[in-house]
Amino acid sequence: MPHRDLLPIPLLLLGLFPLATHADELDTLQFKAGQSVTHDSNIFRLSDTANTQALLGTPDRADTVSVTTAGFKINKPLGLQRFEFDAAIEDHHYSRFSNLDFTAVNYAAAWRWSFTPALHGNLTTDRREYVDNTADVQGAGQLNRRTNRSTVFDAEYELDGAWRLVGGLFERTSTSSQPFTFEGDSRIRGAEGGVRYVFPSATSMAYRYKRGDGDYPGRVPSPTFAGSFTDTEHEFRLDWAPTAKTTLRARVSHLDREHDGLAARDFSGFTGQLDANWAITAKTSLAGGVVRELGSYQTSVASYYQGYRFFVAPTWKPSEKTAVRLRYDHGERSFKGPLPGFAATGRRDTTNLVSLALEWQALRALKLIASVQRDRRKSTEPGFDYSSNAVGLSALASF
């Protein structure tokens, strides 16, 4: 498998966008701005039994967060090609804990290329920085900002009306602002290849074989921590629209991660995701899904976690300008793989999140949103439980 460095690709891709904007910019260029204010009753996701005064120096664990957003989008077709770019600056300001303030620059760029109608694909790169409230950091009174980056080149060649060959290269990284998180930073580069079959109804099935070489940046190999790993994955996908009002997307994979020189950290198993959407009436719809999880989580008593999540999200639109959105998420995680000489604690976490949002399209270019949220985690391990209530208001403008 080639180990080509994909980092120059984002610069190459961005250099193509002037070609997409030299004409008809009013049709392809859109600016956006937003302002949100959210009051969170437990900004650090502290345990219900934690001594807030001792940990934070104040008895109050709540804070109000203001986020100011400004950005733009480009979407320009040129012959068989399409160029897309979406970028935004997000300024996060905390009223009480101002040391948490930060500014994020997020973007997503894509070249939807096509050399011939039968040979086409995508070259994409993106960056997303966000507050990971669920991360377990090794220090109270701290928040972790996670930054995910990816660069992907994929191609599809249509052999005939149904069969297609697929393949590509990828590079993905995940880093944390906190130096010590149990999930850890990671970087992986690899390649994939497979086949896809498309039915006349547009339903498709695909198989991909993926292999990637990865490492944990900044981590020094030791008897308890590996510096690098290899991922091998077999993936099956199904995209199906059984009726005009329903769509189903399914993915099932078997992942095998082997750590160089430290087999005790190895893990393998099935992952997957099923998403469904149902347009019940012209004003009501229902979305739902279930996810099977498997990921790295390295302590002396665990090397990985496995579990599942599911969500249900109904939407009601009483008018063209208003919408009511409800969402319920439930998840469970078990932590496994203790190092030799250590006993598993049997830790198991259960999470529940409920949110309600009211949307109003006040003007053609202005949307107002009010929301409430309840977030709770219970754990068999002391100190890992938390509960939080949040209420927010936001305004989104596009022009």
Side-chain angles (χ1 to χ4, degrees):
M1 183 189 64
H3 294 268
R4 184 175 301 173
D5 192 340
L6 301 181
L7 290 178
I9 291 180
L11 298 179
L12 174 64
L13 183 58
L14 294 179
L16 296 171
F17 282 105
L19 300 175
T21 60
H22 73 280
D24 300 327
E25 287 190 341
L26 294 178
D27 296 330
T28 62
L29 178 63
Q30 184 181 63
F31 294 95
K32 56 184 179 180
Q35 181 66 55
S36 68
V37 179
T38 303
H39 182 77
D40 194 314
S41 66
N42 186 4
I43 198 70
F44 294 104
R45 298 301 187 266
L46 295 176
S47 170
D48 297 341
T49 59
N51 187 331
T52 307
Q53 180 68 48
L55 294 173
L56 304 179
T58 173
D60 199 343
R61 57 180 67 185
D63 205 345
T64 300
V65 187
S66 300
V67 181
T68 304
T69 305
F72 67 95
K73 296 194 299 184
I74 296 173
N75 191 321
K76 178 65 178 178
L78 283 176
L80 294 177
Q81 321 302 316
R82 177 175 290 275
F83 298 91
E84 302 170 4
F85 188 64
D86 189 343
I89 297 176
E90 298 181 358
D91 183 63
H92 296 245
H93 175 72
Y94 292 76
S95 297
R96 175 174 286 108
F97 302 100
S98 58
N99 60 298
L100 301 176
D101 293 355
F102 72 98
T103 300
V105 178
N106 296 328
Y107 62 81
W111 172 24
R112 314 295 182 187
W113 60 268
S114 181
F115 292 155
T116 70
L119 179 59
H120 49 84
N122 305 278
L123 175 58
T124 64
T125 183
D126 60 75
R127 179 187 192 274
R128 180 178 176 236
E129 182 178 358
Y130 62 98
V131 176
D132 186 1
N133 286 320
T134 62
D136 294 331
V137 299
Q138 299 180 26
Q142 299 177 350
L143 279 180
N144 182 54
R145 299 196 311 274
R146 192 174 298 279
T147 302
N148 294 332
R149 296 182 176 90
S150 71
T151 298
V152 180
F153 173 80
D154 64 63
E156 179 174 301
Y157 180 68
E158 300 180 13
L159 296 175
D160 55 30
W163 287 100
R164 291 99 186 271
L165 294 177
V166 295
L169 302 171
F170 59 85
E171 178 183 76
R172 298 184 178 92
T173 64
S174 179
T175 58
S176 298
S177 61
Q178 294 297 326
F180 301 107
T181 61
F182 298 124
E183 292 87 347
D185 297 350
S186 64
R187 174 178 55 203
I188 184 168
R189 298 168 179 168
E192 63 178 53
V195 295
R196 192 164 80 100
Y197 187 88
V198 181
F199 293 88
S201 62
T203 295
S204 67
M205 297 188 301
Y207 163 77
R208 287 179 172 85
Y209 171 78
K210 302 180 181 181
R211 184 175 175 85
D213 290 337
D215 63 274
Y216 302 106
R219 180 175 292 177
V220 178
S222 69
T224 56
F225 292 106
S228 58
F229 60 88
T230 300
D231 279 357
T232 303
E233 184 176 5
H234 299 271
E235 179 188 84
F236 296 88
R237 286 182 178 266
L238 170 67
D239 291 317
W240 180 35
T243 71
K245 295 184 176 182
T246 56
T247 58
L248 293 172
R249 291 187 175 182
R251 175 184 62 83
V252 177
S253 300
H254 186 273
L255 173 65
D256 189 346
R257 175 168 293 189
E258 297 182 351
H259 292 84
D260 295 340
L262 191 58
R265 292 294 190 189
D266 295 352
F267 61 85
S268 63
F270 286 95
T271 67
Q273 184 168 351
L274 173 64
D275 293 312
N277 290 275
W278 178 25
I280 303 173
T281 68
K283 295 185 176 182
T284 59
S285 61
L286 180 64
V290 61
V291 179
R292 172 66 174 176
E293 296 181 314
L294 181 67
S296 176
Y297 188 97
Q298 298 190 9
T299 68
S300 59
V301 295
S303 297
Y304 66 97
Y305 66 82
Q306 64 181 22
Y308 72 92
R309 293 182 291 110
F310 74 82
F311 76 92
V312 178
T315 299
W316 175 46
K317 296 183 177 181
S319 70
E320 292 183 357
K321 295 185 176 183
T322 58
V324 181
R325 304 184 188 276
L326 177 66
R327 183 179 174 111
Y328 171 69
D329 290 76
H330 173 84
E332 292 188 7
R333 280 185 178 180
S334 298
F335 297 81
K336 301 177 179 296
L339 291 176
F342 294 88
T345 62
R347 177 184 167 187
R348 181 171 181 149
D349 292 353
T350 302
T351 58
N352 289 283
L353 188 148
V354 181
S355 63
L356 174 66
L358 307 178
E359 298 180 1
W360 177 35
Q361 194 75 42
L363 301 172
R364 181 181 178 183
L366 178 64
K367 179 185 291 186
L368 303 177
I369 304 173
S371 63
V372 293
Q373 177 180 287
R374 169 70 171 174
D375 184 9
R376 185 173 181 83
R377 180 169 76 180
K378 295 182 179 180
S379 179
T380 58
E381 194 79 5
F384 287 98
D385 61 301
Y386 65 76
S387 60
S388 169
N389 298 311
V391 57
L393 295 172
S394 62
L396 305 175
S398 59
F399 46 93

